[in-house]
Amino acid sequence: MTPSRDFAAELDDMKTQLADLALQVRQLTGAADTGAIRAASARQDLPAAAYTPAETDKSSSSSGELYYSGHYNQDNARFRWEPKSRSVNQILSTDGEKAAKVVGALGHKQRLDIIRTILQEPMSGAELVERLNMGTTGQLYHHLKALLGADLLQQDDRGGRYSIPRHRTLPLLLLLAAASDLLDASDYMDMTEVRGNSSAYLGSTEGKHDPHALLGAVLENSLLEHNAGYCTEVNIYIHDDSRVTVADNGRGIPARAFPGADTDRSWLQTVMTDLHNRTATGASYTVPGGEKGISIAVVNALSLHLQVETRWDGSIIRQDYSHGIPRSALTPVGTTGETGTSVTFEPDPELFSSAFDRETVEKMIAERSAMYPQLTLRVHV
């Protein structure tokens, strides 16, 4: 039996392709501005060249337009939105006080959980309490009342299931999509907090901190790989410009998407920027007087520059950071049959007292060699 075709879905896909084609034509003819092209290419449907800034009409008062459309399936019903656009000028002129109220109303985790859950499936109050593990209905109905009053929820009838009004569904999905694209901002805020509270990680000091504590933290990740049975050799290179490199022959940090993540952010970037995910960041190194352990993400936050290179799955992939914030995408730089990770970093001179000292590093390595006799550790100057 031949399966039936979903003509509505095919029509949606065709409309999306036509909208994207129209954007490309407008770009080629000079009618499309950079903002519109960036908005469309954010979906990764357009080629990389679409990111290239184009000449704009300086006589135009418009700052650009955002284009959006989509479809959404729920309860055997299909919602479709025709392609729409809104000028950037209009978006930026939105009443700030009212916008803050909207964002504030949705800025509560439990309210977002309610919205995300009901977007997947309309539910009754009792079902929401059970699904979200709220414990009591009183806590739930406090948030439901606010969402109902804001016209972000509707109820079938008294005691019935809650659902999202049709005209609110697309804006909420777009808001969640934008939040998903900004998830890494929370990690970068954490990075800034680490820099402002460095003594909690490095111990209290009247002057600047000892940079060798960061070296110990990076080395700890290689030792963790050795303990897992994958790393047999670690090389430490002390450079003349206040940098140091730790290179091991472990498995290499995977460059694929981190499993279970809300975004397509790579495992590598998660390791380098997530201060709280102990599974992702692996080892943690503690110095005397430090209240918190130093993970490799902390090292990244406290480094003026950091470059990580992973040899994984036949490729050599590199990424650069400054103060914990990526300054480049994951960049393939070669192929290899080897595996391992190399981290080169320069501690921030505003926080650290001096360059790396050869004798101090060699003493550190001698201590580790005694603790791990099956691991080869070398220092290169």
Side-chain angles (χ1 to χ4, degrees):
M1 180 177 178
T2 304
S4 60
R5 296 173 60 182
D6 189 342
F7 291 101
E10 293 179 17
L11 181 61
D12 285 337
D13 292 338
M14 184 178 297
K15 287 180 178 178
T16 299
Q17 293 175 27
L18 288 173
D20 289 341
L21 180 61
L23 284 175
Q24 294 183 61
V25 171
R26 292 179 65 188
Q27 182 196 20
L28 293 173
T29 59
D33 57 69
T34 304
I37 296 302
R38 288 180 183 271
S41 59
R43 299 195 311 276
Q44 298 181 347
D45 293 335
L46 301 185
Y51 286 96
T52 304
E55 289 294 329
T56 58
D57 182 0
K58 295 182 180 180
S59 64
S60 173
S61 60
S62 173
S63 296
E65 289 182 288
L66 297 183
Y67 294 80
Y68 52 96
S69 64
H71 64 267
Y72 164 66
N73 302 322
Q74 185 188 76
D75 266 5
N76 298 319
R78 184 181 183 88
F79 303 89
R80 295 199 307 272
W81 296 275
E82 298 298 327
K84 299 180 180 180
S85 67
R86 179 167 293 189
S87 73
V88 173
N89 287 345
Q90 182 183 4
I91 294 172
L92 297 181
S93 63
T94 302
D95 187 302
E97 184 175 351
K98 291 183 178 179
K101 286 183 179 179
V102 173
V103 175
L106 297 175
H108 193 287
K109 179 183 181 301
Q110 289 183 326
R111 291 181 185 176
L112 280 175
D113 286 343
I114 291 170
I115 288 173
R116 291 189 301 115
T117 301
I118 294 177
L119 278 169
Q120 299 175 54
E121 178 186 4
M123 288 190 176
S124 67
E127 290 171 333
L128 283 168
V129 169
E130 182 178 357
R131 176 71 63 87
L132 300 177
N133 297 316
M134 286 190 166
T136 64
T137 57
Q139 185 180 21
L140 170 70
Y141 287 115
H142 169 72
H143 297 303
L144 289 178
K145 183 178 180 180
L147 294 173
L148 286 165
D151 192 32
L152 295 174
L153 282 186
Q154 63 185 13
Q155 193 174 19
D156 294 343
D157 49 52
R158 188 172 181 82
R161 298 191 306 171
Y162 294 93
S163 61
I164 306 294
R166 289 194 177 190
H167 67 288
R168 298 297 195 188
T169 305
L170 179 60
L172 286 172
L173 289 172
L174 290 174
L175 184 62
L176 291 172
S180 178
D181 283 346
L182 291 171
L183 285 180
D184 55 1
S186 64
D187 290 335
Y188 305 153
M189 290 178 186
D190 290 340
M191 293 287 183
T192 302
E193 291 178 3
V194 168
R195 289 174 48 75
N197 192 28
S198 58
S199 294
Y201 298 88
L202 300 164
S204 299
T205 177
E206 294 182 0
K208 295 184 178 181
H209 300 292
D210 180 2
H212 298 90
L214 300 187
L215 175 59
V218 177
L219 183 58
E220 200 69 23
N221 281 270
S222 298
L223 299 179
L224 188 68
E225 277 289 274
H226 173 69
N227 288 337
Y230 296 101
C231 176
T232 61
E233 182 177 320
V234 181
N235 289 281
I236 294 93
Y237 300 86
I238 302 175
H239 306 286
D240 294 334
D241 54 0
S242 301
R243 296 178 303 140
V244 68
T245 297
V246 178
D248 66 41
N249 66 343
R251 289 168 289 183
I253 304 174
R256 62 173 177 264
F258 185 71
D262 294 327
T263 68
D264 58 358
R265 185 170 46 169
S266 69
W267 190 305
L268 178 64
Q269 187 168 325
T270 301
V271 168
M272 301 307 301
T273 59
D274 190 342
L275 293 163
H276 306 296
N277 193 324
R278 296 264 64 83
T279 300
T281 55
S284 183
Y285 178 76
T286 304
V287 300
E291 303 170 11
K292 302 178 180 180
I294 308 174
S295 67
I296 198 166
V298 172
V299 175
N300 197 8
L302 298 177
S303 295
L304 181 61
H305 301 291
L306 183 145
Q307 182 180 88
V308 59
E309 187 175 278
T310 180
R311 299 177 296 284
W312 176 81
D313 197 28
S315 299
I316 304 173
I317 298 174
R318 181 180 297 164
Q319 189 168 30
D320 295 303
Y321 294 83
S322 178
H323 291 151
I325 299 176
R327 297 306 182 191
S328 70
L330 268 67
T331 306
V333 294
T335 59
T336 181
E338 301 177 349
T339 60
T341 303
S342 299
V343 178
T344 301
F345 65 96
E346 178 185 353
D348 191 331
E350 292 185 4
L351 300 173
F352 294 91
S353 57
S354 61
F356 292 95
D357 175 67
R358 176 177 180 174
E359 291 186 5
T360 303
V361 174
E362 288 179 339
K363 180 180 179 181
M364 177 187 297
I365 295 307
E367 293 173 351
R368 301 301 193 283
S369 296
M371 295 171 61
Y372 302 94
Q374 302 302 317
L375 177 64
T376 300
L377 295 119
R378 302 187 185 93
V379 178
H380 307 267
V381 180

